[in-house]
Amino acid sequence: MSNSTMTAGTVHETTSKACAVPAPAVLPQIREPQRIAPADARALTKLFLLRLDALEEGTHEYQYVRNTLIEMNLTLVRYVARRFSGRRDSTEDMRQVGTIGLIKAIDRFDVSRGVEFTTLAVPYIQGEIQRLFRDTTWSVHVPRRLQELRIELARAREQLEGQGVHEPSVADLATHLDVDEAEVAEGVVAANGYHTDSIDRPIQASGSMQQTGLVADLMGTEDPALALAENIQALKPHLAELGDRDRTLLELRFGAEMTQAEIGEELDLSQMHVSRLLTRIYARLRKEMLATN
């Protein structure tokens, strides 16, 4: 058996032993990571993720482990990209942005949670590919599914308004149509972009041909709180990845507006310990937000 290949049985046996310790001390040298069979890649990924978690970022070994993880799991990118094979977008473009999602999943994977890597990686890869569609496709093409959903949403809105529901929310529409709220939100976005107009088009007074200005004149100025709202939305998925204690600390500090001393009394911790915990949480969230941007 060569250094670059390993049977599935051997890999799984090694993995089960490695899981009993925080991280394996020695990893196999893999010369051609992209040629490893998927079953072997899954088992090796567990070993490499454990090792990556124990290494210092920026070291030579850290780069080797991280790069090998990326190459071993490119099959996941190809697998997810095949789901969108009917799209007009280039397969190569989908694989490129999908690889970005794979890298984000590797960097953000928490081995202590004890979940399969694919559980995190596939949604990240799919999310990056879908973002590609949102950024490059909807301005010129709306999928047939969303075209049909736009009509259903219009009918549902009329029916709900007829029942006395003023300005139905996404939740109201989702319940009425018995579909996911995410699908309704996607349909609302598509419906808003169904008709386009030029901001340089002249506005004419009602009932006359007199020009009163341009469409651009009706556009509002940028809300100074818009960036804050965007940051809050971007922060939500990172907050969801925190442990229960970390989320409780943030809720007490910013939700209940308690001081560190008050939080310490509430959780039976010293003020210094609370300060250290909050500092660590802030640093983690700041790092993840900068990586996302």
Side-chain angles (χ1 to χ4, degrees), residues 20-40:
V21 295
V26 180
L27 292 174
Q29 292 294 317
I30 303 177
R31 297 179 182 177
E32 297 179 318
Q34 295 191 42
R35 300 186 64 179
I36 295 178
D40 292 344

Side-chain angles (χ1 to χ4, degrees), residues 26-27 86 88 124 128 214-215 238 240 271:
V26 180
L27 292 174
R88 298 181 180 180
Y124 266 90
E128 291 298 325
L214 303 176
V215 173
H238 302 303
Q271 180 178 348

